Amino acid sequence: MKKILITGASGQIGTELTTYLQSVYGHDQVVASGRHDDIRHHAIYEKLDVLSAVQLIEVIRKHQIDSVIHLAAILSAQGEKNPEALWQINMNGLYNVLEAAKETSAAVFTPSSIAAFGPETPLDHTPQLTIQRPRTIYGISKVAGELLCDYYHHHFGVDTRGVRFPGLISHEALPGGGTTDYAVHIFYKAIETGQFSCDLGPETFLDMMYMPDALRAVVELMEADPAKLQHRNAYNISAMSFSPSQLAKEIQKHLPEFRMDYDVNPVKQAIADSWPNSLDDSCARAQWGWRPEYDLSAMTTHMLKVLGSRSR
């Protein structure tokens, strides 16, 4: 990657990825974009709606973009409230990005998700290739997106790549309506009030990842030798699997007075129950050298350290 455009740059991933890519490639080599006028961090910025293919092509050509990191999307829990809006953004937006990439020869990174799996999928060590029958509109859009990216690669030669992200945990930006949001909010509440009400059941295991690993994965995959990429769209990547009760116990090692109760959201719980407990990421490890650096203990220690320093 030399000149990079990020769509959805003000979201949970985009907020940190913009800064991370600036540190790797240089401030002037990264263009952040979104549907609003302002952005949280300092960056070259374009107001851009991914539902406009014309705007996308104009911005790509204006900045001589060679790689698009396409993050603009509506997440799982919000998508169940408004399926039509999700389909417009997640699918028509992706289609426009791929069409723009075809016209401009740009490469495209599109994140998929553990939501691309469903209740018929093996829950533990979910294979790279397995049945994918999700029951959420978000998950359906992710499966369709994986296939659409494959189509543009095989039929038009677009260099498409992606990973299936697990739940992502960050201390920089709050999540925007996903099923795994509790695993971020719990840290803020642990610092602020010492208590938290979790909207998933205590033994709901889900695959998770700390944001620094997720950011690194984007760069490592986009810089990988294309001859070694057998799957492209999209690789399972994993770092840790835990339940809310396990996360609470880990936090209590640092904050013994912390307490958590449960107020289960039936919609989120049904979504979580249909997702894998853990992913088999052996293909990513073998084909482009994926290795996570943070486990539950290291992530918890770092999250509490950073958030605790801000509260003083």
Side-chain angles (χ1 to χ4, degrees):
M1 295 191 290
K2 296 182 178 67
K3 196 67 176 288
I4 305 156
L5 172 67
I6 304 173
T7 70
S10 297
Q12 185 192 21
I13 301 175
T15 298
E16 292 194 58
L17 185 62
T18 300
T19 303
Y20 181 73
L21 292 178
Q22 288 173 330
S23 72
V24 174
Y25 296 98
H27 184 276
D28 294 340
Q29 303 309 110
V30 180
V31 178
S33 72
R35 302 174 75 180
H36 305 291
D37 288 319
D38 57 351
I39 192 168
R40 289 183 53 186
H41 38 242
H42 299 291
I44 301 171
Y45 186 77
E46 292 280 355
K47 186 177 180 181
L48 172 64
D49 188 343
V50 295
L51 295 181
S52 172
V54 172
Q55 282 187 31
L56 277 162
I57 292 174
E58 287 177 351
V59 169
I60 290 172
R61 287 180 170 158
K62 174 183 175 180
H63 294 279
Q64 298 181 310
I65 299 296
D66 64 72
S67 303
V68 179
I69 310 297
H70 178 49
L71 303 177
I74 293 175
L75 300 183
S76 56
Q78 287 299 316
E80 292 303 290
K81 298 177 183 177
N82 195 338
E84 182 180 357
L86 182 142
W87 196 259
Q88 284 288 332
I89 296 294
N90 292 22
M91 289 309 305
N92 293 338
L94 175 59
Y95 174 80
N96 288 337
V97 167
L98 292 170
E99 278 289 298
K102 183 179 72 171
E103 291 295 318
T104 61
S105 300
V108 177
F109 173 92
T110 304
S112 187
S113 165
I114 56 173
F117 301 112
E120 291 87 2
T121 300
L123 290 177
D124 297 301
H125 306 293
T126 303
Q128 175 69 37
L129 299 176
T130 186
I131 186 171
Q132 292 178 258
R133 300 284 293 180
R135 295 184 181 177
T136 64
I137 192 67
Y138 178 72
I140 293 166
S141 76
K142 288 304 181 183
V143 175
E146 291 180 14
L147 296 173
L148 191 61
C149 289
D150 277 344
Y151 180 85
Y152 270 77
H153 174 66
H154 292 302
H155 287 266
F156 305 120
V158 178
D159 185 357
T160 55
R161 309 183 188 195
V163 299
R164 292 178 183 133
F165 276 131
L168 297 179
I169 300 169
S170 166
H171 55 72
E172 288 296 328
L174 290 172
T179 301
T180 59
D181 287 4
Y182 90 87
V184 178
H185 293 302
I186 188 175
F187 286 100
Y188 285 85
K189 290 298 184 181
I191 295 290
E192 293 169 4
T193 68
Q195 55 189 2
F196 178 67
S197 185
C198 185
D199 55 16
L200 296 180
E203 300 309 315
T204 306
F205 280 84
L206 288 167
D207 219 311
M208 299 283 189
M209 181 174 291
Y210 197 28
M211 189 64 78
D213 278 336
L215 304 180
R216 189 168 46 80
V218 174
V219 171
E220 289 180 359
L221 177 56
M222 292 303 288
E223 295 291 359
D225 181 355
K228 296 180 179 180
L229 303 180
Q230 298 176 26
H231 299 289
R232 284 184 170 268
N233 306 292
Y235 284 95
N236 287 356
I237 58 171
S238 180
M240 61 189 99
S241 175
F242 57 78
S243 67
S245 63
Q246 286 182 329
L247 179 54
K249 289 177 182 177
E250 194 66 34
I251 291 173
Q252 286 168 341
K253 293 178 182 179
H254 302 265
L255 302 172
E257 302 303 314
F258 173 68
R259 294 294 179 265
M260 182 164 75
D261 60 25
Y262 297 90
D263 183 15
V264 175
N265 180 313
V267 174
K268 285 191 175 184
Q269 188 65 53
I271 294 172
D273 289 343
S274 73
W275 289 357
N277 298 333
S278 60
L279 300 180
D280 175 359
D281 61 2
S282 56
C283 290
R285 291 172 180 263
Q287 293 174 27
W288 48 278
W290 163 247
R291 295 289 188 280
E293 294 181 352
Y294 287 88
D295 59 11
L296 175 58
S297 175
M299 179 270 294
T300 300
T301 299
H302 193 258
M303 278 286 289
L304 292 175
K305 178 181 178 182
V306 172
L307 294 179
S309 67
R310 292 177 188 169
S311 68
R312 296 191 186 104

